[in-house]
Amino acid sequence: MGAQYAQLIARRVREAGVWSEIAPPARALERARAMNLAGIILSGGPASVYAPDAPVVPRELLDLGVPVLGICYGMQWIAHVLGGKVESTGKREFGRMSIAIAAQHGPFETVDGHTVVWMSHGDSVTALPSGFVALASSDTCRFAAMEHAARKIYGLQFHPEVSHTVRGREMLDSFLHATCGLAGDWRPDAIVEREVAKIRAQVGEHGEVIFGLSGGVDSSVAAVIVHQAIGARLHCIFVDNGLLRKGEREIVERTFRGSFHMDLTVVDASKRFLDKLAGVTDPEQKRKKIGHEFVEVFRGEAKRFKNAHYLGQGTLYPDVIESVAAHGGNTAVIKSHHNVGGLPDDLDMQLVEPLRELFKDEVRAIGRHLGLPEEIVARQPFPGPGLAVRCLGEQTPQRLHVLREADHIVTSEIEAAGLHKALWQYFAVLLPVKSVGVMGDARTYEEACVLRVVTSEDAMTADWASLPHELLAKISNRIINEVRGINRVALDITSKPPGTIEWE
Ligand code: XMP
């Protein structure tokens, strides 16, 4: 219903071992009828039910005989269409509130008494539709939750999906397991078998697939699934653009050629990329040139395979949802998605995307199930333009080498300390800024390196991470002693917003 939290709700449901799919209001009824449906959740959203462009779902959705849970706007919409009253309170109720639970029904099966929830709404339900009773209330919100026991329709005025709602997970779990009767036995690896069958049907007996492998977790897991489906008819291409991290190419060769025996072509295009980047320091120019060059290299390689009418990609569910939003869904567009650097339409190939319905955590679980090594499965995200957006100023083989070595020290020390599991990203940035130092008895005049270490849930926001001083000291010492070209190490203590995770 227009919620930025819709993905989070879908993810929480999956985490409870239940398959979930997000449908925009206009397609909700059609999707609901097409599947073996066990329950419906209507999300929140920024609109008022009285707004002219308020999202509406067909009323029949409430008559399908499956339990319904309306969250925030979803609850208001249910109350509105079933004859209750929704009114503006004149001010937004925003933040943590304590609610008193009246009965342990539906989402409150395991929760009673008082509990803290996260509210974020302007309108409220002020009169319940007939057949409904109040399930919870707060000082400011008479109907913080409602229930129609016979029809199993529930409404929550607050957000059970966000972590500020202390027992929110339990509430969703109760709705899914107790109310909808779902066992919670869906596991992400169940999808591998289904996807393998789908790929075989799509590609047929003779079709070949080419796959741009980056070594990141998404493309790696997707490639292994395609390989399970069609074996040697999968051709992977890994482009070494000269902007990779230390050892990256070797990991990819060792894993996919060595362990998985896949057909892998490594294209050494580093000179080509660095020639194009010579003298370029503007971040957007860098990104554009890299994206363009990647497409050119890939297009050239694709020509070598005459029967490869299929292109494999590691597109994930969030990418799909964002593309839907960009093409007329109800959620505001955060970014328009272009996978594989925005491949040209005239490649004229059909897409094979086995991860289209999955979230990142699920992809990691599948990766482990398929036997991919931790060095790939647990990998931190790495941007498409590679080290270029971390090597500020001009890209030269020498400066990239310096950055690569410093970055390797940062990552290996953090991993050796076992801290990486709690971090979203941890890397080094090289600045085109020289300062004076002293080493031994000699003067140095070299560039500075910055440690960028952040925690995050989804990269939309991030906090700079606090590392133990001893670890920071060790990293700094090692970089200065071992990496010629850096004589000063700084720490980035900017969160996102206002900063971004990458420096360019
Ligand atoms: P920012 O710097 O915008 O980054 O806070 C958010 C997340 O996205 C990654 N990132 C990219 N990933 N292609 C990608 O595939 C890109 O061009 C790109 N730029 C940034 C970044 O590493 C962080 O995880």
Side-chain angles (χ1 to χ4, degrees):
M1 308 292 255
Q4 295 293 351
Y5 287 140
Q7 279 196 44
L8 190 55
I9 300 171
R11 239 171 62 203
R12 294 275 180 265
V13 175
R14 300 266 187 107
E15 284 164 12
V18 171
W19 174 258
S20 66
E21 194 181 299
I22 300 178
R27 292 194 51 221
L29 189 60
E30 171 202 335
R31 285 302 302 147
R33 285 188 170 142
M35 63 203 299
N36 183 11
L37 194 72
I40 296 170
I41 297 178
L42 300 174
S43 81
S48 156
V49 290
Y50 298 111
D53 54 352
V56 282
V57 285
R59 260 192 73 161
E60 292 98 303
L61 215 55
L62 301 178
D63 302 324
L64 295 176
V66 297
V68 179
L69 175 67
I71 296 175
C72 196
Y73 174 87
M75 165 174 172
Q76 293 160 13
W77 180 82
I78 293 171
H80 180 63
V81 296
L82 295 183
K85 204 163 171 192
V86 177
E87 285 178 289
S88 169
T89 49
K91 62 177 172 47
R92 279 194 78 74
E93 189 179 26
F94 185 81
R96 288 184 176 82
M97 308 279 158
S98 177
I99 59 164
I101 292 166
Q104 281 184 270
H105 293 177
F108 301 136
E109 177 101 355
T110 62
V111 192
D112 65 352
H114 288 81
T115 185
V116 171
V117 301
W118 182 257
M119 295 275 191
S120 173
H121 63 115
D123 293 357
S124 300
V125 176
T126 52
L128 296 176
S130 106
F132 279 79
V133 296
L135 263 194
S137 59
S138 77
D139 289 347
T140 45
C141 185
R142 205 168 134 213
F143 303 118
M146 65 180 192
E147 169 190 42
H148 190 301
R151 297 181 66 187
K152 294 193 180 173
I153 299 178
Y154 296 89
L156 301 176
Q157 185 50 73
F158 57 89
H159 291 271
E161 70 276 17
V162 303
S163 54
H164 308 305
T165 296
V166 179
R167 303 185 70 178
R169 266 175 205 262
E170 274 178 75
M171 296 174 192
L172 287 173
D173 282 1
S174 291
F175 174 72
L176 297 166
H177 304 314
T179 311
C180 298
L182 288 154
D185 56 1
W186 182 77
R187 293 285 167 267
D189 47 274
I191 210 157
V192 173
E193 222 169 284
R194 193 178 91 187
E195 288 303 316
V196 164
K198 255 166 63 181
I199 294 166
R200 285 188 182 140
Q202 182 189 4
V203 173
E205 302 244 314
H206 305 290
E208 295 179 87
V209 176
I210 59 171
F211 204 109
L213 197 61
S214 71
V217 59
D218 307 340
S219 70
S220 298
V221 172
V224 173
I225 293 176
V226 179
H227 187 244
Q228 284 208 345
I230 60 165
R233 286 183 285 133
L234 166 69
H235 310 292
C236 292
I237 297 169
F238 176 78
V239 180
D240 180 348
N241 56 9
L243 304 165
L244 304 173
R245 286 166 292 183
K246 184 168 175 162
E248 195 144 30
R249 174 175 170 168
E250 291 75 16
I251 295 176
V252 169
E253 288 181 318
R254 188 165 67 231
T255 307
F256 296 99
R257 207 179 270 152
S259 308
F260 284 87
H261 308 294
M262 285 161 54
D263 175 31
L264 170 69
T265 305
V266 174
V267 185
D268 187 349
S270 45
K271 180 160 181 345
R272 224 177 128 158
F273 275 84
L274 295 189
D275 283 351
K276 280 279 182 321
L277 289 172
V280 181
T281 56
D282 176 71
E284 281 307 301
Q285 282 287 322
K286 273 187 201 171
R287 281 178 174 269
K288 288 205 177 96
K289 283 189 186 285
I290 293 166
H292 176 81
E293 206 53 27
F294 185 85
V295 170
E296 286 308 306
V297 171
F298 200 80
R299 203 205 278 264
E301 289 301 312
K303 283 197 188 119
R304 293 196 296 118
F305 302 97
K306 287 281 169 285
N307 291 322
H309 302 303
Y310 302 89
L311 178 70
Q313 292 199 132
T315 313
L316 301 191
Y317 197 38
D319 307 330
V320 176
I321 300 166
E322 274 164 23
S323 308
V324 171
H327 296 104
N330 276 83
T331 311
V333 177
I334 309 289
K335 63 175 180 187
S336 26
H337 179 78
H338 296 286
N339 223 327
V340 197
L343 285 167
D345 295 339
D346 62 1
L347 261 185
D348 197 21
M349 299 170 98
Q350 260 192 52
L351 293 180
V352 175
E353 299 178 312
L355 309 179
R356 266 182 83 81
E357 298 183 327
L358 297 175
F359 290 104
K360 193 105 178 174
D361 299 349
E362 299 175 320
V363 171
R364 290 211 162 99
I366 292 179
R368 292 193 173 102
H369 169 77
L370 292 171
L372 275 163
E374 277 304 295
E375 60 185 348
I376 287 191
V377 173
R379 210 128 211 244
Q380 50 171 329
F382 187 59
L387 292 182
V389 293
R390 298 177 180 175
C391 184
L392 275 59
E394 198 173 352
Q395 316 298 294
T396 63
Q398 173 56 19
R399 293 191 71 232
L400 286 162
H401 171 74
V402 166
L403 173 57
R404 206 171 273 129
E405 293 300 318
D407 184 65
H408 181 63
I409 292 173
V410 174
T411 51
S412 48
E413 285 298 336
I414 286 178
E415 285 163 16
L419 295 178
H420 56 294
K421 292 201 175 104
L423 299 170
W424 176 265
Q425 274 171 297
Y426 43 102
F427 55 85
V429 176
L430 185 67
L431 301 187
V433 174
K434 285 189 168 179
S435 71
V436 173
V438 55
M439 259 190 108
D441 294 321
R443 174 188 194 267
T444 58
Y445 186 55
E446 292 175 335
E447 290 187 329
C449 145
V450 180
L451 309 186
R452 183 62 167 150
V453 186
V454 296
T455 57
S456 175
E457 279 240 338
D458 53 12
M460 305 283 285
T461 60
D463 287 313
W464 61 273
S466 172
L467 296 182
H469 283 188
E470 308 75 56
L471 178 63
L472 290 171
K474 190 164 183 204
I475 292 173
S476 163
N477 266 337
R478 277 197 62 194
I479 291 177
I480 296 194
N481 284 314
E482 296 173 31
V483 184
R484 294 293 289 279
I486 293 175
N487 70 347
R488 198 172 286 269
V489 178
L491 178 66
D492 183 350
I493 52 168
T494 320
S495 289
K496 171 186 181 174
T500 52
I501 296 175
E502 304 289 347
W503 270 50
E504 287 190 338

